[in-house]
Amino acid sequence: AAYAEEAMLAAARHPFIVRFFGSTNDGVKSFILTEACVGGDLSSLIQARRAASAALGEDVARSLAACVVSALGYLHAQGLMFRDLKPENLIRDERGCVKLVDFGLAKRTDELSYTLCGTAEYVAPEVITMQGHGAAVDWWALGVITYELLHGLTPFSAEGTLDRPVDIYRRITHPDFKVSYADHLSKPALSFLKRLLRRKCASRLGASGAAEVRGHGWLSHIGWAA
């Protein structure tokens, strides 16, 4: 597994995926050398804003989400799904952009996977029900992260309580559980979140590919080539 992770990371060439330089081991542990991303992970930024009761604005959230969309589009085009997208695996560089790190759960997309994997708050419904999942799980996780950037907490967590994974899984999969959205969201932002957080993966934004996500109105101001 460690070798597969290293091989996938070494082959990646994208500005929003951490750059791999080499690896070694001491006979017990393996060590991977990558570029330094000095801005901390996205989780730290979210927690700091939550402590200050100040969620990120849409402009900042949009820029961060665009970095992830670009990286996921690249990976999916290479035939890979990331499967562990969460704020802890998004590291900020000196410009404030985010880069994907930790390919430990990444897998080829040429066949469905039936493994229950990932972190509870960011796991897609089809992973929990073990009906077989593909790259659409990454777009679901992007929806959860974008929601968290704009609200300060994840859509399926109960604020002020210590959730068990089973409680979160139940909310994610139960059709009667309705996600609450902040009144201050713009209509394009609301549409972006709702379309990414569709429980049926076939109707989820991104099911037809990354171009569908890039083309959404909330991201219309992004200069993708730049």
Side-chain angles (χ1 to χ4, degrees):
Y3 176 78
E5 175 185 1
E6 179 184 324
M8 287 184 281
L9 185 57
R13 294 289 185 274
H14 192 274
F16 302 130
I17 297 175
V18 69
R19 187 179 174 191
F20 172 88
F21 289 126
S23 66
T24 186
N25 69 80
D26 61 4
V28 178
K29 294 181 179 180
S30 296
F31 301 89
I32 292 177
L33 178 65
T34 69
E35 66 177 306
C37 293
V38 298
D41 63 31
L42 196 56
S43 178
S44 300
L45 176 62
I46 293 171
Q47 290 174 12
R49 288 303 186 102
R50 183 186 302 146
S53 299
L56 292 170
E58 285 194 27
D59 287 343
V60 175
R62 180 173 23 243
S63 296
L64 294 171
C67 295
V68 182
V69 171
S70 183
L72 290 179
Y74 169 83
L75 286 181
H76 293 175
Q78 302 301 309
L80 295 173
M81 50 181 162
F82 190 70
R83 297 204 306 170
D84 197 19
L85 189 62
K86 57 184 178 180
E88 291 85 351
N89 285 342
L90 292 167
I91 306 297
R92 292 180 291 155
D93 65 13
E94 67 279 358
R95 300 170 298 165
C97 296
V98 290
K99 302 193 178 202
L100 285 177
V101 299
D102 192 349
F103 277 56
L105 293 181
K107 187 175 181 179
R108 307 296 307 183
T109 58
D110 52 1
E111 61 182 23
L112 293 177
S113 176
Y114 294 85
T115 305
L116 178 59
C117 60
T119 302
E121 291 90 340
Y122 307 93
V123 173
E126 61 268 29
V127 177
I128 299 168
T129 56
M130 301 181 73
Q131 295 178 345
H133 64 266
V137 300
D138 290 337
W139 299 123
W140 171 276
L142 173 66
V144 176
I145 291 172
T146 306
Y147 181 101
E148 190 173 10
L149 290 171
L150 293 169
H151 293 80
L153 72 163
T154 57
F156 301 98
S157 298
E159 189 171 12
T161 65
L162 183 61
D163 277 323
R164 300 173 301 167
V166 67
D167 297 324
I168 297 171
Y169 291 159
R170 187 178 296 113
R171 296 186 197 112
I172 290 172
T173 57
H174 203 296
D176 290 338
F177 180 83
K178 305 298 182 185
V179 174
S180 298
Y181 296 94
D183 294 336
H184 61 74
L185 292 181
S186 67
K187 287 184 178 180
L190 184 61
S191 169
F192 187 71
L193 293 175
K194 286 186 173 182
R195 292 187 63 192
L196 286 172
L197 294 177
R198 287 181 178 173
R199 289 183 170 91
K200 292 184 178 179
C201 58
S203 63
R204 189 175 303 151
L205 184 66
S208 299
E212 184 181 27
V213 185
R214 291 195 298 268
H216 188 276
W218 192 58
L219 299 178
S220 61
H221 300 302
I222 299 296
W224 293 104

